[in-house]
Amino acid sequence: MANLSFILGIIGNVISILLFASPIFSFVSRKTFCGMIKKKSTGDYKGEPYITTLLSTSLWTLYGIINPDGLLVMTVNGAGAILQLIYVILFLVYAPKDTKVKAAKLVGVVNVGVLGTVTAVTLFAVHKNTRLTFVGILCTALTIGMYASPLSAMVPNAVGLFLGSAQLILYVTYKNKPVSTNPSEAIEEEEEEEEEGGSAHPGRRGIEMNSSLVNV
């Protein structure tokens, strides 16, 4: 069973490395980093996916280093981190000036600041017995966040759908109910109601009669 797990791990590593290397060579799309180098332009490329993937692979590499049985995790993610670093460097070289500045700032915050902070906290602030759990939770949360990121476009639309439906229901409910803004019309409506079902405000009616007698 141990040999089978090791063999399956190697197969998984090979597949993962091929996925990491797919932006270099692609038989399906011509939009590869080789084309970027030839054109000396990033074109439609976005730097954020490679920057976040660089952080993810770097953290998983750290996880493999501190894990006594993490050789396969360390090797595949170490190779992935190297490839992602190459992609990020190429993007910074060929990106337009404004995009290059934004991407460089993001690299400084994510791949230097966050990675350096996590590494320092893991090695110097977290107890040795809990380091593996600490880094593993961070790596898992980051990976889930990366896969779930497309949902961020769905959430605002769902909220808008709910609010729009509420507005439509309110409109349908109250669209046929007139709103009177003329005081004389309100008095006439009140008198009609009193004639049909009696006075709804006998006290006020008595006050009005007393005031009329005084005026006489």
mmCIF file of all heavy atoms in Angstrom, residues 143-159:
data_model
loop_
_atom_site.group_PDB
_atom_site.id
_atom_site.type_symbol
_atom_site.label_atom_id
_atom_site.label_comp_id
_atom_site.label_asym_id
_atom_site.label_seq_id
_atom_site.Cartn_x
_atom_site.Cartn_y
_atom_site.Cartn_z
ATOM 1 N N THR A 143 -6.450 27.915 -0.913
ATOM 2 C CA THR A 143 -6.815 27.124 -2.093
ATOM 3 C C THR A 143 -8.315 27.151 -2.338
ATOM 4 O O THR A 143 -8.776 27.332 -3.478
ATOM 5 C CB THR A 143 -6.335 25.672 -1.917
ATOM 6 O OG1 THR A 143 -4.918 25.655 -1.688
ATOM 7 C CG2 THR A 143 -6.646 24.854 -3.165
ATOM 8 N N ILE A 144 -9.103 26.995 -1.265
ATOM 9 C CA ILE A 144 -10.562 27.049 -1.408
ATOM 10 C C ILE A 144 -10.993 28.436 -1.885
ATOM 11 O O ILE A 144 -11.879 28.580 -2.735
ATOM 12 C CB ILE A 144 -11.235 26.693 -0.076
ATOM 13 C CG1 ILE A 144 -10.972 25.216 0.268
ATOM 14 C CG2 ILE A 144 -12.741 26.960 -0.144
ATOM 15 C CD1 ILE A 144 -11.496 24.810 1.630
ATOM 16 N N GLY A 145 -10.355 29.484 -1.336
ATOM 17 C CA GLY A 145 -10.682 30.840 -1.760
ATOM 18 C C GLY A 145 -10.393 31.076 -3.232
ATOM 19 O O GLY A 145 -11.159 31.757 -3.924
ATOM 20 N N MET A 146 -9.299 30.506 -3.721
ATOM 21 C CA MET A 146 -8.965 30.668 -5.137
ATOM 22 C C MET A 146 -9.983 29.970 -6.028
ATOM 23 O O MET A 146 -10.396 30.501 -7.059
ATOM 24 C CB MET A 146 -7.561 30.117 -5.399
ATOM 25 C CG MET A 146 -6.443 30.938 -4.780
ATOM 26 S SD MET A 146 -4.823 30.153 -4.960
ATOM 27 C CE MET A 146 -4.687 30.045 -6.752
ATOM 28 N N TYR A 147 -10.414 28.769 -5.634
ATOM 29 C CA TYR A 147 -11.398 28.049 -6.443
ATOM 30 C C TYR A 147 -12.776 28.686 -6.350
ATOM 31 O O TYR A 147 -13.572 28.595 -7.289
ATOM 32 C CB TYR A 147 -11.469 26.587 -6.006
ATOM 33 C CG TYR A 147 -10.321 25.740 -6.506
ATOM 34 C CD1 TYR A 147 -9.433 25.148 -5.622
ATOM 35 C CD2 TYR A 147 -10.124 25.530 -7.865
ATOM 36 C CE1 TYR A 147 -8.374 24.380 -6.070
ATOM 37 C CE2 TYR A 147 -9.066 24.763 -8.336
ATOM 38 C CZ TYR A 147 -8.201 24.180 -7.426
ATOM 39 O OH TYR A 147 -7.153 23.421 -7.887
ATOM 40 N N ALA A 148 -13.076 29.316 -5.210
ATOM 41 C CA ALA A 148 -14.398 29.903 -5.011
ATOM 42 C C ALA A 148 -14.483 31.345 -5.488
ATOM 43 O O ALA A 148 -15.561 31.944 -5.458
ATOM 44 C CB ALA A 148 -14.784 29.847 -3.529
ATOM 45 N N SER A 149 -13.376 31.932 -5.921
ATOM 46 C CA SER A 149 -13.371 33.343 -6.300
ATOM 47 C C SER A 149 -14.359 33.691 -7.410
ATOM 48 O O SER A 149 -14.910 34.794 -7.403
ATOM 49 C CB SER A 149 -11.955 33.766 -6.713
ATOM 50 O OG SER A 149 -11.482 32.977 -7.797
ATOM 51 N N PRO A 150 -14.638 32.808 -8.389
ATOM 52 C CA PRO A 150 -15.654 33.186 -9.389
ATOM 53 C C PRO A 150 -17.034 33.433 -8.807
ATOM 54 O O PRO A 150 -17.849 34.104 -9.430
ATOM 55 C CB PRO A 150 -15.661 31.972 -10.333
ATOM 56 C CG PRO A 150 -14.306 31.374 -10.197
ATOM 57 C CD PRO A 150 -13.941 31.571 -8.749
ATOM 58 N N LEU A 151 -17.320 32.907 -7.602
ATOM 59 C CA LEU A 151 -18.626 33.141 -6.996
ATOM 60 C C LEU A 151 -18.815 34.584 -6.577
ATOM 61 O O LEU A 151 -19.948 35.025 -6.343
ATOM 62 C CB LEU A 151 -18.800 32.231 -5.771
ATOM 63 C CG LEU A 151 -18.867 30.730 -6.052
ATOM 64 C CD1 LEU A 151 -18.931 29.963 -4.734
ATOM 65 C CD2 LEU A 151 -20.066 30.393 -6.919
ATOM 66 N N SER A 152 -17.711 35.335 -6.451
ATOM 67 C CA SER A 152 -17.827 36.726 -6.015
ATOM 68 C C SER A 152 -18.621 37.565 -7.006
ATOM 69 O O SER A 152 -19.227 38.569 -6.638
ATOM 70 C CB SER A 152 -16.430 37.330 -5.843
ATOM 71 O OG SER A 152 -15.713 37.303 -7.080
ATOM 72 N N ALA A 153 -18.641 37.133 -8.265
ATOM 73 C CA ALA A 153 -19.437 37.854 -9.264
ATOM 74 C C ALA A 153 -20.918 37.515 -9.165
ATOM 75 O O ALA A 153 -21.768 38.271 -9.623
ATOM 76 C CB ALA A 153 -18.928 37.519 -10.666
ATOM 77 N N MET A 154 -21.239 36.355 -8.536
ATOM 78 C CA MET A 154 -22.620 35.946 -8.432
ATOM 79 C C MET A 154 -23.323 36.573 -7.231
ATOM 80 O O MET A 154 -24.526 36.816 -7.282
ATOM 81 C CB MET A 154 -22.695 34.419 -8.313
ATOM 82 C CG MET A 154 -22.133 33.685 -9.519
ATOM 83 S SD MET A 154 -22.069 31.902 -9.241
ATOM 84 C CE MET A 154 -23.784 31.541 -8.917
ATOM 85 N N VAL A 155 -22.592 36.833 -6.164
ATOM 86 C CA VAL A 155 -23.214 37.337 -4.934
ATOM 87 C C VAL A 155 -23.882 38.686 -5.129
ATOM 88 O O VAL A 155 -25.054 38.864 -4.752
ATOM 89 C CB VAL A 155 -22.189 37.381 -3.796
ATOM 90 C CG1 VAL A 155 -22.793 38.059 -2.552
ATOM 91 C CG2 VAL A 155 -21.692 35.996 -3.463
ATOM 92 N N PRO A 156 -23.210 39.714 -5.700
ATOM 93 C CA PRO A 156 -23.916 40.991 -5.900
ATOM 94 C C PRO A 156 -25.140 40.853 -6.790
ATOM 95 O O PRO A 156 -26.159 41.519 -6.567
ATOM 96 C CB PRO A 156 -22.840 41.878 -6.550
ATOM 97 C CG PRO A 156 -21.553 41.256 -6.163
ATOM 98 C CD PRO A 156 -21.817 39.790 -6.126
ATOM 99 N N ASN A 157 -25.073 40.002 -7.801
ATOM 100 C CA ASN A 157 -26.226 39.809 -8.667
ATOM 101 C C ASN A 157 -27.386 39.167 -7.919
ATOM 102 O O ASN A 157 -28.553 39.483 -8.160
ATOM 103 C CB ASN A 157 -25.840 38.939 -9.868
ATOM 104 C CG ASN A 157 -24.879 39.658 -10.785
ATOM 105 O OD1 ASN A 157 -24.913 40.873 -10.897
ATOM 106 N ND2 ASN A 157 -24.006 38.911 -11.431
ATOM 107 N N ALA A 158 -27.082 38.242 -7.001
ATOM 108 C CA ALA A 158 -28.141 37.619 -6.206
ATOM 109 C C ALA A 158 -28.805 38.638 -5.296
ATOM 110 O O ALA A 158 -30.031 38.651 -5.148
ATOM 111 C CB ALA A 158 -27.551 36.473 -5.382
ATOM 112 N N VAL A 159 -28.013 39.512 -4.684
ATOM 113 C CA VAL A 159 -28.574 40.568 -3.837
ATOM 114 C C VAL A 159 -29.435 41.509 -4.662
ATOM 115 O O VAL A 159 -30.525 41.913 -4.258
ATOM 116 C CB VAL A 159 -27.458 41.343 -3.122
ATOM 117 C CG1 VAL A 159 -28.024 42.514 -2.340
ATOM 118 C CG2 VAL A 159 -26.693 40.421 -2.183
#
